[in-house]
Amino acid sequence: MKSNIKRNKVLDISKTFGVGSSRYISCIPFNFKTQMIQESVLNINNESGNKETDYLLTVPIGGGIVHWNVKTKKRMNESPNIYKQLHSDIITCLIRVNPIKSTHKQKNKNEWFNKYFHISSSYCGEIGIWDNDWNQISLFQIPSFNDSDDYNNNHTRQQKEEQEQEQQENQQKQQERKQEEQQNEEIVNNKIMHISFDESYESFPIVRLAVSNEHGNCKTTILKFDFSNYLEDENQVEEKEENHSSSNDQLKISIEYEISNQLYFFAEMVDSNHFMVVQQDVGKQGFQQDRTMKVGENILNILKISSITGEIVGEIKNSFGQECTILIKNQNYYNNENNNNNNNNNNNNNNNNNNNNNNNNNNNNNNNKQIIISRGRLLQIIDTNTSTIIKTIRCEGSGLMKDILFYDNLILVPCSNSDLLLYSIDINDKIDDDDGGGGGKLISKYKSGNSHGEVYSLKWSIAGKRLWLFDESGIHSIYLKNTINSDDSINNNQLLKEDHLNEIDKSNYCLLYHQITCCGIDFNENGNKVACGDFLGNIMIWNIGDDSDSPLNQYCFGIPIRSISWGKNELILIGLLDGSLMYWDLINDPILIDSLNDGITCIQWEKNNNGDGINLVAVGTTGGNLYVFKKNDSITTDKIFTLEWNYQAHQPVIGPQDLKFGSINKFAEIWSLTFHPTDNRLIATCSEDQTTVIWNRITGEKVKTLIGHTTAVTCVDWLTLNNDDDNINNNNNNNNNNNNNNNNNNNNNNNNNNSSNTILATCADDQTIRIWNTDLWEEILVLNTNDIGEWHTVTYISLIVPPPPPQLPPHQQQEQHISSTSTKTFSPPLVVCATQNGWVFVWDIKSGSKVYSKRVHLGSIEGLRWNRFSNKVISCSSDCLIHVYDVNN
């Protein structure tokens, strides 16, 4: 089997703190009769009461997975991988797939696909195949949205068949090339938000995966999984002997069909040759062109399409109503009997395009061949064989449904007030189909016993009694208490008959850390701990250096935290949005330093103090006020900090400025500030007023005003370069900078002899990053992030000056013929920035080239820091996760 994915050249996520990524994870089908976690980590010896497996699950977290015991609130140390990175960007879909029954044609009796296995997709379009123990089987990169407008426009069926063999033969080389291109950091414009695997296995050894891309006017990709190399075949054996091919031990994955620019969402495989999609106007504009359906019509079409030819073979047209938010299959869509029969009777023919239609007739006898879509609080059940709506249910309660449970004749739906409603349907009863949504009967109303937020995902833990619920803050294991006395809740369905008497533990469990928007983050001095705040007022301390999965320390202020700065000797300053400036030594309760007259937006300890100890801290507020406090080390005063200087550094501006973002005409928030790296007299502040200003705190003088950004300046950083980096100048930065659409700003600086020991970086809502030589006060580089292809702002920035490599001892220098007077080789300085929609970018400042670009969070990034001693980067986000990155020099 292949090894894990290649390490990125610049940043690698080495650890993630938090519970998991349930937000925006679409369509995670789960059969409650199977364990959600792999067998190798299960505690199967617990025979009394509830099985321990009822509290175990594997969840995606950023680009990786973790295994939790929600009852003990611990990550499972006995797991082979307490944290395993699957993708270099965020996982958007993760499904567990039914085993493929072993056949006598297999080369090996027990293959990885004869057990449950996993399929994952990342935001950029990387598809991962993993065995039952999460070992990597294969990775496949779907081309970006721009690279393949429509795969089928210029290809007849015959041409595709001729090219298919060549595509499979070159797959490994293509994948290596695509991974290399990714490492060169061209933006991959995919937004994979839905995947569906054909688990009927009627066409085995060919199985298909439908992948939905929501960028622009959307793209649906049908991937063909070819398992032929795992089967014995005379022709394949002869071919292997002739070609001496080593690829025959691998799963072959290729693109069979693609459809673009049709506004197709939620492509769901309904049999081996067909998928169903929702075509809808979602009131947006595309990546490159306007939506193809008229905005505002609220038209929704449901189409059944051939995965081989793209022909529409069934449709439900002009269904008016609200936007569809989910489409899922009945969880009993594939039953074991059909799987076994299909595998035993399948044609072991590699060319299965002509014989699969006969197998589809077997589906007519299965009453669970249904999909369900949600439109607001309205559910519509569709027969996939006839492409007709067979039931419509108007659900009680309120709130948008982002997931439901649909098993056999039961449908469980969430409500905004934490209620869960269980409906039953009778497919054969036609009486209630035409009365405006009365196609289902409410048989149970459950109170969860503990409140939860908006539901993103639901799964059964114990059928009909215990439920996994994922909301925006964490994971809940909920015992369902019925508030409706109805015999139908047990007698009319097999689901509730099986396990409803086995539940002994009636407690609710939840796994929560940061629950609402992480904001404000910093390292300790050594870079082995992280402090992070959130909008509920919690601050938590996390240890990077070990496998701990819970905070080392925490405190709740009850008021939103906006900024954190960690100084020497474990001293943390916390800024609250009510203006309270707090001081915490991690031992005693936090102490109030001062109550300022407006909300605190940023805090920063000084960077250098000429050996006098770090004693100064700068604070910025929503009103544009700059405060400088000094820490008192004297034992003769009770005040830990005294105010040394304050000034209204930025004021509201009434004028022609772009008011699209922010509130420049009402406020002039200081969004970020920093001390000069070696001269603590100088402080840089950036503001909603679109400027960055350099202040002399001793004289009160405004030293310099930096302009150029056209919207609010959101962050600033200031560092000293290594000696090897002194020759950063305009001419170097203009070379090979494909991302810079503002090169005219750089043409003013033409003196190659001018060197810079200090550089300052700013970022803004205008999607640009500007680098300044602060010895000459000249702008030397302008970068931008507008190739993401969707609306965003740039929220945080950090300069990275990697430490020099360790110098070899003299005897090793002599052995390697290295002169003791030779110049050290330094890695080039980098600038890393974060965006409102979860992307992280890194540029090499010397060359101006982009060396990293990934969407790593599912929400807005609200904090970014680099630590010089550990050479690590941290980020936090509204998705309630904290990522730790290794910087690879």
Side-chain angles (χ1 to χ4, degrees):
M1 295 181 183
K2 295 183 181 179
S3 61
N4 201 4
I5 55 179
K6 294 181 179 180
R7 292 177 62 85
N8 191 280
K9 291 181 179 179
V10 180
L11 291 185
D12 278 315
I13 298 177
S14 57
K15 181 167 288 192
T16 297
F17 297 113
V19 175
S21 301
S22 61
R23 297 181 68 181
Y24 315 124
I25 299 292
S26 69
C27 189
I28 309 179
F30 170 57
N31 185 344
F32 62 84
K33 294 181 181 179
T34 66
Q35 267 74 36
M36 197 173 171
I37 199 166
Q38 68 264 36
E39 283 81 350
S40 59
V41 300
L42 296 180
N43 177 8
I44 60 176
N45 296 321
N46 187 350
E47 298 178 355
S48 61
N50 287 67
K51 301 184 298 296
E52 194 68 17
T53 55
D54 295 334
Y55 306 97
L56 308 183
L57 74 167
T58 299
V59 296
I61 183 167
I65 56 167
V66 291
H67 314 299
W68 282 107
N69 184 324
V70 177
K71 191 174 182 179
T72 63
K73 299 185 178 182
K74 296 290 184 181
R75 292 186 186 178
M76 299 177 61
N77 292 318
E78 63 269 28
S79 164
N81 298 286
I82 190 171
Y83 170 81
K84 182 178 180 68
Q85 190 77 8
L86 303 187
H87 299 278
S88 58
D89 61 333
I90 54 173
I91 295 173
T92 53
C93 301
L94 183 66
I95 62 176
R96 186 174 175 87
V97 177
N98 283 314
I100 301 174
K101 184 177 175 62
S102 177
T103 74
H104 67 279
K105 290 287 188 178
Q106 286 182 201
K107 298 175 184 178
N108 299 313
K109 184 176 293 186
N110 296 312
E111 288 287 0
W112 58 268
F113 53 82
N114 299 141
K115 295 182 178 181
Y116 289 94
F117 58 97
H118 310 89
I119 302 176
S120 61
S121 68
S122 73
Y123 184 89
C124 74
E126 188 176 67
I127 305 298
I129 316 300
W130 317 88
D131 71 9
N132 190 61
D133 289 320
W134 295 99
N135 298 304
Q136 179 183 303
I137 302 299
S138 183
L139 286 177
F140 184 88
Q141 176 64 55
I142 296 176
S144 68
F145 181 83
N146 291 336
D147 292 342
S148 56
D149 290 335
D150 194 338
Y151 179 80
N152 310 286
N153 284 344
N154 300 315
H155 294 77
T156 65
R157 181 64 190 162
Q158 182 178 359
Q159 287 173 324
K160 285 194 290 182
E161 288 177 352
E162 291 173 354
Q163 293 177 0
E164 190 173 273
Q165 182 65 31
E166 181 180 358
Q167 183 183 20
Q168 291 179 349
E169 291 174 354
N170 295 329
Q171 179 185 351
Q172 186 173 2
K173 292 182 180 180
Q174 290 172 348
Q175 287 301 101
E176 291 176 355
R177 175 176 57 81
K178 287 172 184 175
Q179 288 181 357
E180 185 64 29
E181 286 176 356
Q182 271 192 276
Q183 291 184 347
N184 290 334
E185 296 315 317
E186 298 178 4
I187 291 290
V188 181
N189 287 313
N190 284 317
K191 184 181 179 182
I192 307 302
M193 299 303 288
H194 191 93
I195 61 176
S196 174
F197 198 60
D198 171 35
E199 297 179 58
S200 70
Y201 306 132
E202 295 167 347
S203 57
F204 185 80
I206 302 300
V207 188
R208 294 176 176 89
L209 178 77
V211 182
S212 297
N213 173 331
E214 292 190 8
H215 245 310
N217 280 319
C218 306
K219 180 176 71 174
T220 297
T221 303
I222 304 300
L223 295 182
K224 184 170 74 172
F225 286 43
D226 188 348
F227 292 82
S228 299
N229 287 333
Y230 296 96
L231 306 181
E232 291 288 0
D233 184 89
E234 294 180 1
N235 295 329
Q236 290 179 352
V237 172
E238 292 176 1
E239 181 181 348
K240 180 177 179 179
E241 291 175 351
E242 291 176 3
N243 298 333
H244 304 286
S245 172
S246 61
S247 64
N248 282 355
D249 292 331
Q250 299 175 4
L251 174 67
K252 293 180 180 179
I253 305 176
S254 59
I255 296 175
E256 183 169 53
Y257 202 83
E258 284 190 345
I259 304 174
S260 297
N261 300 322
Q262 297 298 320
L263 290 177
Y264 290 165
F265 292 82
F266 309 116
E268 190 77 20
M269 296 298 301
V270 294
D271 59 48
S272 60
N273 287 337
H274 299 92
F275 62 94
M276 297 192 81
V277 297
V278 172
Q279 183 185 41
Q280 62 182 340
D281 158 34
V282 292
K284 300 176 183 178
Q285 288 190 336
F287 177 73
Q288 292 178 311
Q289 57 187 335
D290 290 346
R291 292 293 195 188
T292 55
M293 300 177 75
K294 187 175 180 180
V295 172
E297 287 186 344
N298 291 325
I299 295 176
L300 184 147
N301 301 324
I302 302 167
L303 308 175
K304 184 176 181 178
I305 302 173
S306 168
S307 59
I308 299 172
T309 66
E311 177 187 3
I312 297 175
V313 298
E315 59 184 341
I316 304 170
K317 297 202 69 175
N318 298 329
S319 176
F320 290 85
Q322 290 183 255
E323 173 187 344
C324 174
T325 54
I326 53 172
L327 181 154
I328 61 173
K329 285 196 287 272
N330 193 312
Q331 284 185 276
N332 204 26
Y333 195 95
Y334 304 111
N335 59 52
N336 292 330
E337 289 183 2
N338 275 355
N339 282 339
N340 293 339
N341 292 334
N342 288 331
N343 281 310
N344 290 331
N345 298 322
N346 75 76
N347 292 320
N348 295 303
N349 227 341
N350 288 334
N351 184 3
N352 52 74
N353 296 328
N354 296 323
N355 58 22
N356 291 327
N357 290 330
N358 294 329
N359 291 331
N360 294 336
N361 295 328
N362 295 330
N363 295 336
N364 294 328
N365 296 324
N366 189 339
N367 291 329
N368 291 314
K369 293 296 183 183
Q370 305 147 0
I371 61 173
I372 189 168
I373 66 171
S374 72
R375 308 182 67 180
R377 300 295 294 179
L378 187 73
L379 300 178
Q380 293 176 319
I381 301 172
I382 299 161
D383 186 306
T384 61
N385 291 318
T386 62
S387 300
T388 57
I389 297 175
I390 57 176
K391 287 290 176 182
T392 298
I393 305 171
R394 191 171 300 279
C395 300
E396 294 183 6
S398 61
L400 184 66
M401 290 184 284
K402 294 190 174 181
D403 197 14
I404 59 177
L405 279 176
F406 182 26
Y407 182 88
D408 201 9
N409 66 327
L410 293 176
I411 303 168
L412 185 73
V413 300
C415 300
S416 59
N417 65 351
S418 300
D419 285 350
L420 295 160
L421 309 178
L422 184 66
Y423 288 86
S424 68
I425 57 172
D426 184 352
I427 299 300
N428 297 319
D429 183 4
K430 306 298 181 184
I431 297 177
D432 58 358
D433 291 348
D434 299 322
D435 62 354
K441 180 178 181 180
L442 179 62
I443 61 172
S444 296
K445 182 180 291 186
Y446 297 115
K447 289 288 185 182
S448 65
N450 63 329
S451 61
H452 52 76
E454 184 176 9
V455 175
Y456 288 96
S457 185
L458 293 167
K459 296 177 179 67
W460 288 118
S461 173
I462 300 175
K465 277 296 178 183
R466 183 165 290 279
L467 186 74
W468 290 116
L469 186 148
F470 299 76
D471 65 7
E472 59 188 359
S473 59
I475 300 170
H476 303 261
S477 176
I478 297 173
Y479 174 78
L480 298 180
K481 181 180 179 181
N482 190 2
T483 60
I484 293 181
N485 295 321
S486 171
D487 293 337
D488 292 339
S489 64
I490 295 179
N491 295 332
N492 290 348
N493 56 82
Q494 185 64 27
L495 171 68
L496 300 180
K497 288 181 182 179
E498 293 179 351
D499 294 311
H500 76 281
L501 296 177
N502 297 331
E503 177 76 2
I504 296 175
D505 184 1
K506 297 184 179 182
S507 301
N508 294 324
Y509 302 94
C510 62
L511 187 59
L512 307 171
Y513 290 124
H514 293 288
Q515 300 176 46
I516 299 179
T517 302
C518 292
C519 192
I521 194 167
D522 203 1
F523 285 102
N524 67 340
E525 182 182 16
N526 296 327
N528 59 6
K529 296 177 185 176
V530 174
C532 185
D534 64 34
F535 277 5
L536 283 182
N538 297 297
I539 181 171
M540 300 186 187
I541 311 300
W542 304 86
N543 191 345
I544 296 176
D546 57 28
D547 290 332
S548 62
D549 43 60
S550 57
L552 294 174
N553 204 341
Q554 63 186 91
Y555 189 88
C556 182
F557 294 94
I559 300 168
I561 295 173
R562 187 64 180 81
S563 184
I564 290 173
S565 187
W566 200 334
K568 285 189 174 183
N569 301 321
E570 303 294 312
L571 304 181
I572 303 176
L573 296 183
I574 303 106
L576 308 182
L577 281 184
D578 69 347
S580 299
L581 179 62
M582 309 299 298
Y583 165 83
W584 192 25
D585 62 6
L586 301 182
I587 300 174
N588 304 296
D589 286 344
I591 298 173
L592 176 67
I593 296 174
D594 203 345
S595 294
L596 309 181
N597 56 8
D598 48 5
I600 296 174
T601 52
C602 49
I603 309 174
Q604 184 64 60
W605 287 93
E606 64 175 311
K607 296 180 179 179
N608 186 279
N609 43 65
N610 300 320
D612 296 332
I614 293 180
N615 292 316
L616 297 176
V617 61
V619 180
T621 72
T622 55
N625 294 294
L626 170 62
Y627 297 82
V628 177
F629 290 87
K630 184 175 182 179
K631 183 176 180 296
N632 298 313
D633 291 330
S634 174
I635 61 174
T636 59
T637 177
D638 294 334
K639 295 195 69 174
I640 301 176
F641 287 85
T642 56
L643 179 62
E644 186 179 79
W645 180 63
N646 86 287
Y647 186 74
Q648 186 168 9
H650 298 267
Q651 299 186 17
V653 177
I654 306 297
Q657 288 85 0
D658 184 359
L659 302 181
K660 186 188 308 181
F661 306 104
S663 51
I664 186 175
N665 59 341
K666 296 181 180 179
F667 304 100
E669 295 97 332
I670 298 177
W671 290 122
S672 177
L673 49 73
T674 183
F675 281 91
H676 187 282
T678 59
D679 185 351
N680 63 16
R681 296 173 300 172
L682 301 180
I683 302 173
T685 60
C686 64
S687 170
E688 188 75 26
D689 68 7
Q690 304 173 5
T691 68
T692 301
V693 179
I694 314 301
W695 301 93
N696 187 316
R697 67 175 179 85
I698 302 299
T699 66
E701 175 191 6
K702 182 187 292 187
V703 177
K704 194 73 177 179
T705 300
L706 306 179
I707 59 174
H709 288 295
T710 57
T711 55
V713 187
T714 53
C715 195
V716 61
D717 197 15
W718 208 346
L719 280 185
T720 301
L721 296 172
N722 294 318
N723 293 332
D724 193 47
D725 297 324
D726 285 350
N727 292 325
I728 293 177
N729 55 64
N730 168 67
N731 290 340
N732 289 339
N733 293 323
N734 281 334
N735 295 330
N736 303 319
N737 185 10
N738 295 326
N739 297 316
N740 187 3
N741 294 332
N742 302 286
N743 286 335
N744 57 305
N745 292 303
N746 297 333
N747 294 331
N748 297 324
N749 312 317
N750 297 313
N751 186 354
N752 291 339
N753 295 321
N754 289 333
S755 64
S756 173
N757 287 322
T758 59
I759 56 172
L760 181 144
T762 60
C763 64
D765 283 343
D766 61 10
Q767 303 178 2
T768 65
I769 296 92
R770 295 174 182 267
I771 311 296
W772 302 81
N773 174 334
T774 55
D775 296 333
L776 304 174
W777 294 115
E778 291 180 347
E779 187 179 88
I780 59 175
L781 185 61
V782 180
L783 307 162
N784 67 64
T785 61
N786 56 22
D787 50 353
I788 291 179
E790 59 188 27
W791 184 88
H792 68 282
T793 61
V794 183
T795 51
Y796 288 87
I797 199 168
S798 184
L799 289 166
I800 298 176
V801 181
Q807 191 168 6
L808 294 175
H811 70 278
Q812 291 188 20
Q813 293 183 15
Q814 186 175 3
E815 292 174 358
Q816 299 184 26
H817 306 286
I818 299 175
S819 171
S820 60
T821 60
S822 62
T823 303
K824 287 184 179 180
T825 300
F826 292 84
S827 298
L830 307 171
V831 57
V832 54
C833 78
T835 71
Q836 164 271 341
N837 57 348
W839 285 77
V840 167
F841 289 84
V842 182
W843 285 269
D844 180 328
I845 296 177
K846 265 193 166 183
S847 66
S849 60
K850 182 167 55 185
V851 293
Y852 180 92
S853 56
K854 300 288 182 186
R855 191 180 182 199
V856 294
H857 283 285
L858 287 168
S860 174
I861 296 179
E862 298 294 340
L864 183 74
R865 294 278 192 175
W866 170 68
N867 181 268
R868 171 187 304 274
F869 297 99
S870 63
N871 198 24
K872 293 181 184 293
V873 171
I874 49 175
S875 64
C876 66
S877 167
S878 61
D879 65 6
C880 300
L881 295 182
I882 302 160
H883 290 324
V884 182
Y885 311 76
D886 292 333
V887 180
N888 302 315
N889 296 343

